[in-house]
Amino acid sequence: MVNSGSFSSPQALEQLAKRYPELDLSSVETCLSFLDTTTDVHQALDAHFARYGLSMGKFSLLMQLFIAPEGRLTPSEFAERANVTRATITGLLDGLEREELVKRLPHPGDRRRLCIHLADKGRELISKMLPDHFYRTSAMMANLNATEKKQFIKLLSKLRTGTSAMREP
């Protein structure tokens, strides 16, 4: 993550704006504030998940299984839902299987494929963790009222649509 403290002082940004007329101060300040906040949120989530011996990725996979209608998913379904590569999913699943939180079992309709099932130990961990997780999530968002939360979701959605500007050549 980016720590913008080294170049986001108002004086530094104003100097850059003089050299680069395309620099929109309010856009850069907003982006830097967002990046600083996302860094803080990621660090807080990392600490939270570490209490349970998990990473954000492992938690995400366990939750996907926990709420899956049939209690199972294929590795490709995980990858598609998480928008990551199958290799990334394989690495996470390897760790979860070593920790006996998930099981790889033959797919019921295609013996060439595998299904991932939430093991009893994984179900117990998630069941134990969720009340604390939901409490902490609510506490993190407590400074926003209901209207602000809805507005925040809309603003984040608008921001997400602009991310292509950074990806395009």
Side-chain angles (χ1 to χ4, degrees):
M1 289 289 168
V2 174
N3 179 347
S4 62
S6 60
F7 60 89
S8 66
S9 72
Q11 299 83 3
L13 288 175
E14 287 173 21
Q15 290 298 318
L16 285 170
K18 288 177 185 174
R19 290 179 58 196
Y20 301 96
E22 58 277 354
L23 188 154
D24 171 25
L25 279 173
S26 66
S27 293
V28 171
E29 288 171 336
T30 302
C31 185
L32 292 174
S33 179
F34 174 75
L35 291 172
D36 287 345
T37 302
T38 57
T39 297
D40 289 348
V41 169
H42 276 276
Q43 289 172 349
L45 287 169
D46 287 344
H48 167 60
F49 293 131
R51 285 183 197 94
Y52 297 94
L54 297 174
S55 64
M56 201 176 316
K58 287 181 178 181
F59 173 76
S60 176
L61 293 183
L62 290 173
M63 280 300 296
Q64 285 185 46
L65 281 173
F66 191 72
I67 64 173
E70 295 179 14
R72 68 176 185 252
L73 292 169
T74 65
S76 59
E77 288 171 323
F78 277 123
E80 185 177 313
R81 289 177 183 206
N83 199 26
V84 296
T85 66
R86 292 252 341 245
T88 299
I89 295 300
T90 299
L92 289 170
L93 290 174
D94 287 346
L96 289 168
E97 190 173 39
R98 272 192 306 275
E99 295 162 23
E100 300 177 347
L101 300 174
V102 301
K103 296 177 187 174
R104 286 180 168 112
L105 298 171
H107 188 281
D110 185 347
R111 292 181 8 190
R112 296 168 294 169
R113 295 175 39 193
L114 293 174
C115 276
I116 311 305
H117 295 257
L118 190 60
D120 290 342
K121 186 176 174 182
R123 187 171 309 286
E124 289 169 17
L125 176 63
I126 289 294
S127 295
K128 173 185 160 194
M129 179 186 182
L130 284 180
D132 179 49
H133 178 70
F134 293 141
Y135 169 79
R136 289 175 188 272
T137 300
S138 296
M140 182 171 68
M141 303 306 286
N143 292 320
L144 301 175
N145 65 38
T147 302
E148 290 170 329
K149 289 173 189 172
K150 288 179 183 176
Q151 182 64 24
F152 189 51
I153 291 168
K154 288 179 185 176
L155 292 171
L156 289 171
S157 179
K158 285 177 139 182
L159 177 62
R160 191 173 297 119
T161 62
T163 58
S164 61
M166 288 294 189
R167 289 189 201 105
E168 294 172 357

